[in-house]
Amino acid sequence: MFDLFIASSMEKIMPERHYNGKRTSNFSALKGETVSFQVVFACDEQDIYNFKFECATLDEIKAYFVKNVPVNYAAHKRSLDDKNYISHEPGLFPDLLEPADRNWAYVNDIYHSIWITVKPKAGDHCLSVNFTDSDGNIAATASAKIHIIDLDIPKQELIYTQWFHVDCLADYYGYQIFSEELWDMTEKYLRTAYDNGINMILTPIFTPPLDTAVGHERSTVQLVKIMKDAERYTFDFSLLRRWISICQNIGFEYFEMPHLFAQWGVEATPKITAIVDGKEKEIFGWHTKPQSVEYDNFLAQFLPALINELKTDGIFGNTYFHITDEPVEDKISSYDTVKKIALKYLSGCKIIDAVSEIAANENMVGIPIPSTTLLARKQCFCPKERWCYYCNADCVGVSNRFVAMPSARNRSIGFQLYKFKIHGFLHWGYNFYYSRFSLLKLNPFLENDAYGAFPSGDSVSVYPGKDGPLPSIGLMVFNEALQDLRALKLLESYIGYDAVIDLLEHEVKSEIKFDRCFSADDLISARAAVNRKLESFCTAAENSIHSPISKFINGNVIMAKV
């Protein structure tokens, strides 16, 4: 018996002989949204089957084989009481999306799926898929119905960064630093990031001092060429200009400078190299105290020159700086000391830092980025800009994108970001292909957990394909959460913020909180209700003599542009 059906993007099709999840074939979205769903198949007789997608009204259909990846470290021990995991045990889990560049598949009695993404025009579309056997006989047929509302999804307002690790690309692919091959591959990874909602990019003006064991170092990636003559420095920003140009051409609007001091302990400076007496030399690093006169002198020359360059390039207003990542509570005084050093040269600059402890969040950072776990305990937002982040430590109750979590838990973040009016979101692991502390170089197809340090999915959002990045389910579903956020912003322009929250909390049957994630059914129901409400205004506009679109609130007609 051939079993073929359509499922939503929030179903993780496990490599099992039985499937107990939802079968869904109806989808709705706004113009400009990427619609994702899965074609799921199994047959009690193993064979090779051809498949074909047909839809007269769709210009482009992207298809990916959903591949299982080994999850050696599924969850932290402290999360064992959290039941909202698929499993806390090692195993094979679906995550890797491999382009379906062939029209056939091995079919057996274990469920597999093909991930479909489309971006249709307004109207109704029906996408059919046929599986045929080796004799050309149709074995099974399924179809998805897609309804696109004639309203454009608004531009993403949220600033979203996932830390981009250029050195991991160079090391994995074996490219020389900033060779043409590396530039080409970097551009592909940047484009995939942007296509999935990332609009701020970590820019390696020097090698970012992140996840590096004390005394060890990562491959040098430094866009700014530095020349040192005694105590005088000069700077060549030509590679930085190339980076900015590539990013802007793709669509990136925001730029993030690496941390000015080493991670956690604030005990050292980043690794920075310079040309000294005609030779490249490491002038700062683990051997340099952050309060040293030498580093202060460097910052006094480097930061004003950098800021001037950013202003010349027209991106200074959208550039953010870091002091150090996740300052720990017993190092607060050290953080305050180095922050004062940096602030002498960062007047008018935006400064952000991730903080996971309450003490580090109070009057310490220019724009603090608290963890979602911290925010679940205490609403400690920055009055200037509301940011938040999560990482592997945020593993109990809150949203995250671990491979062993259901995708609904990932997508829940969209409603939370809306409820709490978040301005920016940070995550550290777009393409971290090292072990913890960067001591080992890894093959993320086999080890996607930083060598057993973090639950799988925390450090890898894209896999390193031969010709470029391969997306993960986690990356795609998080982008769906961002699309939910954008749709909610549009609905707010019609009915107001409070009414949107009332609608959402009615549909998910609970208060929206950072430590409360929702089921796939509740998320689908809530988004469908949002779409119906939006379409009611679209329909009202079509029946109205007024232009632009009329909004009907409490029986009154209010004019507003969409």
Side-chain angles (χ1 to χ4, degrees):
M1 181 178 178
F2 200 112
D3 194 7
L4 176 68
F5 60 91
I6 306 297
S8 84
S9 58
M10 283 185 283
E11 297 294 332
K12 285 194 174 179
I13 311 302
M14 299 296 291
E16 300 171 348
R17 296 176 183 272
H18 303 285
Y19 174 77
N20 297 317
K22 294 287 185 179
R23 304 186 178 209
T24 306
S25 59
N26 294 300
F27 306 93
S28 70
L30 303 175
K31 285 192 303 183
E33 279 195 81
T34 297
V35 179
S36 297
F37 55 89
Q38 297 177 83
V39 175
V40 187
F41 54 91
C43 186
D44 55 6
E45 292 186 5
Q46 181 175 331
D47 202 349
I48 295 176
Y49 288 82
N50 292 318
F51 59 83
K52 184 178 181 180
F53 300 105
E54 296 180 342
C55 183
T57 57
L58 288 175
D59 296 329
E60 183 179 11
I61 302 168
K62 290 185 179 180
Y64 303 85
F65 291 114
V66 180
K67 309 295 288 186
N68 297 311
V69 297
V71 170
N72 300 308
Y73 189 54
H76 289 314
K77 184 177 181 180
R78 62 181 176 275
S79 67
L80 292 181
D81 290 335
D82 185 336
K83 303 305 180 184
N84 196 10
Y85 280 74
I86 297 171
S87 174
H88 294 84
E89 299 298 324
L92 289 175
F93 292 77
D95 192 50
L96 168 63
L97 300 181
E98 185 180 272
D101 54 2
R102 62 178 191 272
N103 66 343
W104 56 269
Y106 287 109
V107 182
N108 53 29
D109 60 348
I110 295 175
Y111 282 96
H112 302 271
S113 68
I114 299 173
W115 187 282
I116 303 296
T117 67
V118 294
K119 192 176 285 189
K121 300 175 183 177
D124 293 305
H125 312 266
C126 183
L127 187 148
S128 304
V129 56
N130 296 324
F131 273 71
T132 56
D133 62 22
S134 55
D135 295 324
N137 301 311
I138 294 179
T141 299
S143 62
K145 296 179 180 179
I146 309 164
H147 177 63
I148 302 299
I149 300 164
D150 196 12
L151 288 174
D152 290 311
I153 190 168
K155 180 182 176 181
Q156 180 178 309
E157 297 177 3
L158 181 84
I159 302 175
Y160 172 34
T161 179
Q162 267 200 284
W163 284 346
F164 193 98
H165 302 278
V166 178
D167 51 353
C168 288
L169 301 185
D171 289 343
Y172 183 85
Y173 289 100
Y175 294 146
Q176 293 268 332
I177 299 298
F178 296 126
S179 62
E180 290 305 312
E181 293 87 354
L182 181 57
W183 278 110
D184 290 344
M185 187 60 71
T186 297
E187 185 169 353
K188 292 177 181 178
Y189 275 75
L190 288 168
R191 192 169 297 279
T192 296
Y194 180 78
D195 288 345
N196 286 280
I198 298 170
N199 56 9
M200 173 187 267
I201 191 68
L202 181 63
T203 298
I205 52 176
F206 48 73
T207 305
L210 298 168
D211 297 282
T212 308
V214 176
H216 292 262
E217 63 180 53
R218 294 168 61 161
S219 296
T220 302
V221 284
Q222 183 173 309
L223 287 169
V224 179
K225 188 176 182 180
I226 301 170
M227 284 66 67
K228 184 177 187 294
D229 182 7
E231 301 306 313
R232 182 174 178 272
Y233 297 91
T234 54
F235 310 100
D236 178 351
F237 293 107
S238 56
L239 289 179
L240 175 60
R241 292 188 199 111
R242 181 174 181 179
W243 173 277
I244 292 170
S245 176
I246 290 172
C247 291
Q248 288 183 320
N249 287 339
I250 290 172
F252 286 93
E253 296 181 72
Y254 302 94
F255 293 81
E256 179 183 11
M257 299 297 108
H259 302 71
L260 295 171
F261 299 92
Q263 197 170 26
W264 306 307
V266 203
E267 298 293 340
T269 67
K271 178 177 68 172
I272 298 175
T273 65
I275 304 299
V276 182
D277 297 328
K279 294 183 179 179
E280 187 172 13
K281 178 183 177 182
E282 183 176 317
I283 57 172
F284 300 112
W286 289 115
H287 62 282
T288 312
K289 291 294 183 182
Q291 304 95 331
S292 67
V293 173
E294 292 80 8
Y295 192 57
D296 192 344
N297 176 52
F298 169 75
L299 293 179
Q301 298 179 61
F302 175 63
L303 290 177
L306 174 64
I307 290 169
N308 183 65
E309 178 64 32
L310 298 175
K311 289 179 177 177
T312 300
D313 295 330
I315 66 169
F316 174 72
N318 285 348
T319 297
Y320 289 72
F321 289 81
H322 287 285
I323 303 298
T324 189
D325 186 43
E326 292 187 324
V328 293
E329 191 164 9
D330 62 353
K331 299 292 183 181
I332 294 303
S333 61
S334 298
Y335 181 87
D336 190 49
T337 298
V338 299
K339 182 185 73 171
K340 289 176 181 176
I341 295 172
L343 285 179
K344 292 188 296 183
Y345 315 111
L346 293 177
S347 176
C349 298
K350 294 180 179 180
I351 298 174
I352 55 175
D353 275 321
V355 290
S356 55
E357 298 178 1
I358 293 176
N361 189 38
E362 296 174 345
N363 304 315
M364 287 301 302
V365 180
I367 301 173
I369 307 180
S371 69
T372 53
T373 297
L374 174 56
L375 289 173
R377 298 199 309 267
K378 177 182 179 180
Q379 298 297 311
C380 47
F381 293 111
C382 174
K384 301 176 186 176
E385 293 184 14
R386 289 188 169 202
W387 284 67
C388 65
Y389 85 105
Y390 60 54
C391 65
N392 77 94
D394 304 290
C395 58
V396 179
V398 296
S399 175
N400 216 312
R401 66 189 76 180
F402 301 161
V403 178
M405 286 179 172
S407 285
R409 185 163 180 172
N410 182 355
R411 189 163 168 177
S412 293
I413 193 73
F415 290 1
Q416 296 164 354
L417 295 173
Y418 178 77
K419 166 75 178 282
F420 295 101
K421 301 181 180 181
I422 300 300
H423 188 88
F425 185 85
L426 179 150
H427 188 266
W428 75 281
Y430 179 66
N431 63 318
F432 185 72
Y433 302 152
Y434 296 148
S435 67
R436 188 184 186 190
F437 302 131
S438 305
L439 295 172
L440 298 172
K441 300 171 185 177
L442 303 181
N443 177 353
F445 292 102
L446 300 177
E447 294 172 300
N448 46 39
D449 55 11
Y451 207 62
F454 313 127
S456 293
D458 182 50
S459 57
V460 175
S461 287
V462 288
Y463 293 84
K466 179 182 177 182
D467 300 316
L470 302 176
S472 66
I473 288 177
L475 181 74
M476 293 281 206
V477 170
F478 192 93
N479 189 44
E480 290 184 311
L482 297 180
Q483 292 183 154
D484 290 341
L485 173 61
R486 293 160 66 188
L488 296 174
K489 287 282 190 178
L490 179 59
L491 184 57
E492 180 183 326
S493 71
Y494 285 96
I495 66 175
Y497 170 82
D498 291 338
V500 173
I501 294 299
D502 288 344
L503 182 151
L504 290 180
E505 294 187 337
H506 172 76
E507 292 295 333
V508 300
K509 298 179 285 293
S510 68
E511 182 183 358
I512 296 171
K513 301 167 62 177
F514 276 111
D515 57 355
R516 183 169 294 164
C517 296
F518 312 110
S519 70
D521 285 349
D522 286 343
L523 289 167
I524 291 171
S525 173
R527 182 55 205 274
V530 168
N531 287 354
R532 287 194 301 271
K533 196 74 171 175
L534 284 168
E535 188 157 34
S536 71
F537 296 116
C538 183
T539 303
E542 291 175 357
N543 296 328
S544 172
I545 61 172
H546 298 289
S547 180
I549 290 177
S550 299
K551 298 196 302 183
F552 294 81
I553 303 177
N554 298 325
N556 299 315
V557 179
I558 300 175
M559 305 305 295
K561 292 183 179 180
V562 176

